[in-house]
Amino acid sequence: MAGAGSRNLASADWGGFEDTVQGGGGAAVIDMENMDDTSGSSFEDMGEINQRMKEDEEEGDAVTEEGEEDGAFLGMKGLKGQLGRQVADEMWQAGKRQASKAFNLYANIDILRPYFDVEPVQVRTRLLESMIPVRMINFPQKIAGELYGPLMLVFTMVAILLHGMKSSGTVIVEGTLMGTAIGTCFGYWLGISSLIYFIAYLCNAQITMLQTLSLLGYGLFGHCIVLLVTYNIHFHSLFYVFWLCIGGLSTLRMVAVLLSRTVGQTQRLILCGSIAALHMLFLLYLHFAYHKVVEGILDTLDGQNVAPPFQRVARDLSMGTNSVLNTTRSVLSIQSH
C-alpha cells in the first residue's frame, strides 16, 4: 500500500510535465547532433577567454585615464566659460535694472501718490483745525498723514517773503532773492521737522517722521497769515498782536498734539518747549531779521561781482619836456658849428 501511494504521488508530480510534453507535440525533444562537444569544457578555450578579458580591461583602463585627463581639461575650460557667462549675465541684469529704473519714473511717482492724494475740502478743514488747540491729552490726537497741504503752505510762505522783499524795495540780483526764500522756508520745514522727530524719539513720543512733517507744515498757516498782513500794514504793535494771537494758536495746536503723544512730565516739557520756542522765534526772524540778512547777502554778492575802478596815475610831464628841449638845443648848436 505504501508503494502504491508513493507511485501515485510521483505520477501526480510528473503528470503536469507529461501533459506539457504531449501537448507540445515533441517540442521538448533535444537534438544532440547540433551540440558542440567542446563548448565550455576545454581548458585552452578558457585561457584564451581570460587573456582576452585582461586585454579588454587594460584597454578600458587606458581609455578611462585618457577620458579623465580630457575631462579635467575640458572641465577647466567649461568652468572658465561658465564664469564668463555668469559675469556677462550679471552685467546684463545690472544694465537692465538701471534701464528699468530710468524708464519706470511713473512707477516711482506712484509711490508718492498716497501722500498727496487729498481733497481740497480736507485741506481746508485741516487748515482751520491747525488754528484750534484741542485740550485732550489722555488719548493721542490724530495727525494727517499727507504732505500736499504742508508743501503748498511752504510755497505760499516763499511767495509772501518775495512779496515782502519787493515791497521793501530790495533789488533782485540773479535770482538770489528767490533762492534765499526757498532755502529758508524749506530749510526750516525739513530741518526743524527732523530735529523735532529726533527729540520725540529721545522722549519716546508716538509720532512718525511723516506726521512730524505734516504737523509742522500745517503749523505754518498761522505764520503765513501774520506775514501777509504785517508786510502790507507796517505797524509793529499790530505784528506783536498777530504774533501772540495767530502764531500762538498754531503753536498751541502743535503743543497739544505732542502732549497727547508723549508720556512723562519731563519729556513733555522738553519736546513741547523746543517746538514752541523754535516756531515762535522763526516768525520773529522772518519779520525783523530776514530782510537784513538777505540785504547783507546781496551786498556781499554785489561787492564780489563789481570790478575795481580804473585808477589813473598822474605823471610829471615837465621832466620829459625839458629833456626833449635840451636835446634839440644840443643838436642845433652842433649843426651851427
Side-chain angles (χ1 to χ4, degrees):
M1 294 296 290
S6 61
R7 287 195 190 101
N8 291 331
L9 292 173
S11 61
D13 295 335
W14 289 94
F17 179 75
E18 290 175 358
D19 295 337
T20 305
V21 173
Q22 290 175 3
V29 178
I30 299 173
D31 189 4
M32 300 299 293
E33 294 178 358
N34 295 328
M35 293 293 294
D36 188 4
D37 295 334
T38 61
S39 61
S41 62
S42 175
F43 291 101
E44 295 177 358
D45 294 339
M46 294 297 294
E48 292 178 359
I49 292 172
N50 292 331
Q51 185 67 25
R52 288 177 183 176
M53 290 177 65
K54 290 181 180 180
E55 292 177 356
D56 293 339
E57 289 178 357
E58 292 177 357
E59 292 178 358
D61 293 338
V63 172
T64 304
E65 292 177 358
E66 293 178 357
E68 290 178 354
E69 293 179 357
D70 295 338
F73 180 70
L74 294 175
M76 292 297 295
K77 281 189 174 181
L79 182 60
K80 292 180 180 179
Q82 186 178 4
L83 289 175
R85 286 193 297 271
Q86 288 180 355
V87 172
D89 187 36
E90 289 293 333
M91 294 177 64
W92 168 257
Q93 293 295 333
K96 188 177 180 180
R97 286 192 295 268
Q98 293 293 332
S100 63
K101 288 181 181 179
F103 288 105
N104 288 338
L105 182 61
Y106 184 75
N108 295 331
I109 293 176
D110 285 341
I111 298 174
L112 300 176
R113 181 173 295 177
Y115 305 114
F116 296 91
D117 188 9
V118 61
E119 297 294 332
V121 178
Q122 295 177 346
V123 175
R124 183 185 62 189
T125 304
R126 288 165 185 171
L127 289 175
L128 295 177
E129 289 177 352
S130 66
M131 303 294 298
I132 303 173
V134 179
R135 188 177 178 181
M136 184 183 66
I137 62 175
N138 296 326
F139 298 97
Q141 298 185 23
K142 185 178 179 181
I143 302 175
E146 50 94 5
L147 298 177
Y148 177 77
L151 188 63
M152 292 300 104
L153 283 172
V154 172
F155 281 118
T156 303
M157 181 173 286
V158 171
I160 293 172
L161 290 178
L162 292 176
H163 169 70
M165 294 299 291
K166 289 181 180 179
S167 62
S168 64
T170 304
V171 180
I172 300 175
V173 179
E174 297 180 357
T176 305
L177 187 60
M178 182 176 292
T180 306
I182 292 175
T184 301
C185 296
F186 276 92
Y188 173 77
W189 182 42
L190 299 176
I192 300 301
S193 296
S194 301
L195 179 61
I196 294 301
Y197 176 71
F198 177 71
I199 298 174
Y201 176 78
L202 295 179
C203 296
N204 198 18
Q206 300 176 1
I207 191 170
T208 63
M209 186 62 189
L210 177 63
Q211 292 174 340
T212 306
L213 288 170
S214 179
L215 181 65
L216 187 63
Y218 277 109
L220 295 174
F221 180 59
H223 287 29
C224 292
I225 295 175
V226 174
L227 293 176
L228 182 62
V229 173
T230 55
Y231 278 165
N232 294 301
I233 303 174
H234 302 283
F235 291 107
H236 290 298
S237 58
L238 181 65
F239 167 75
Y240 286 117
V241 171
F242 274 71
W243 177 68
L244 287 174
C245 295
I246 299 178
L249 287 175
S250 63
T251 305
L252 286 176
R253 167 68 179 182
M254 293 189 295
V255 169
V257 172
L258 292 177
L259 281 175
S260 65
R261 291 176 172 266
T262 310
V263 179
Q265 297 296 328
T266 305
Q267 291 84 351
R268 287 177 175 177
L269 180 62
I270 294 173
L271 182 59
C272 298
S274 299
I275 193 171
L278 292 172
H279 203 61
M280 297 297 287
L281 290 175
F282 181 65
L283 185 55
L284 288 175
Y285 165 76
L286 292 179
H287 183 78
F288 291 106
Y290 176 74
H291 296 75
K292 296 180 180 179
V293 171
V294 174
E295 289 176 358
I297 294 173
L298 294 177
D299 292 339
T300 303
L301 294 176
D302 290 340
Q304 292 178 355
N305 294 329
V306 174
F310 181 75
Q311 296 180 357
R312 296 181 180 273
V313 180
R315 295 180 181 179
D316 190 3
L317 298 178
S318 60
M319 296 179 62
T321 305
N322 294 331
S323 62
V324 171
L325 291 176
N326 293 331
T327 304
T328 304
R329 288 176 183 176
S330 62
V331 171
L332 291 175
S333 62
I334 291 172
Q335 289 179 356
S336 62
H337 290 292

